[in-house]
Amino acid sequence: QVQLVETGGGLVQAGGSLRLSCAVSGVSLSNKARGWFRQAPGKEREFVAAISWSGSTTYYSDSVKGRFIIPRDTPKNTIDLEMNSLEPEDTGVYYCALDRKAFTERPLLDNYWGQGTQVTVSS
């Protein structure tokens, strides 16, 4: 069965950095877009970042642009997220995701079943 396990979260002070990792099993990531969402308590799920199936294009929400990066040099069964210059507003549960189909024109991130990893940024 498909499993997505997010790790790397924790408590960090504002201005600090974290690297999240998502281990994917039970499904191939080949030629599929992947990315990350996050959700703060009492708020809706928010798109954070994505990378196209080819790895040639990345997408970031305005709130994290210039601070977060999805590396392209990770193993095919992992989805990573580098987070720098963290702010209290970045606090939330982070979930990895991938596309259901390959070769999508742009990321859809319509497969997301992980439990998430908690990121807490103190001010």
Side-chain angles (χ1 to χ4, degrees), residues 7 14 22 30 44 47 72 81 90 116:
T7 58
C22 173
S30 298
E44 295 182 349
F47 167 77
R72 299 197 304 268
L81 179 68
D90 296 318

Side-chain angles (χ1 to χ4, degrees), residues 2 27-35 51-54 97-113:
V2 178
V27 64
S28 175
L29 270 63
S30 298
N31 303 312
K32 293 179 180 177
R34 69 287 306 273
I51 187 168
S52 65
W53 68 266
S54 65
L98 71 155
D99 275 18
R100 180 172 59 87
K101 295 184 176 181
F103 305 109
T104 52
E105 182 177 347
R106 54 181 57 85
L108 299 177
L109 306 184
D110 48 358
N111 279 349
Y112 46 94
W113 305 295

Side-chain angles (χ1 to χ4, degrees), residues 4 16 37 42 45 56 60 64-65 69 78-79 92-93 105 117 119:
L4 289 78
F37 293 93
R45 184 186 64 179
S56 63
Y60 300 96
V64 308
K65 191 173 299 182
I69 299 173
T78 63
I79 308 170
V93 180
E105 182 177 347
T117 184
V119 173

Side-chain angles (χ1 to χ4, degrees), residues 1-67:
Q1 55 183 348
V2 178
Q3 292 188 64
L4 289 78
V5 181
E6 300 93 341
T7 58
L11 175 63
V12 63
Q13 293 186 12
S17 300
L18 286 173
R19 178 160 180 154
L20 308 183
S21 184
C22 173
V24 180
S25 61
V27 64
S28 175
L29 270 63
S30 298
N31 303 312
K32 293 179 180 177
R34 69 287 306 273
W36 292 84
F37 293 93
R38 68 186 181 189
Q39 187 169 23
K43 296 185 178 181
E44 295 182 349
R45 184 186 64 179
E46 175 189 18
F47 167 77
V48 175
I51 187 168
S52 65
W53 68 266
S54 65
S56 63
T57 308
T58 52
Y59 306 82
Y60 300 96
S61 68
D62 290 339
S63 62
V64 308
K65 191 173 299 182
R67 301 187 297 118

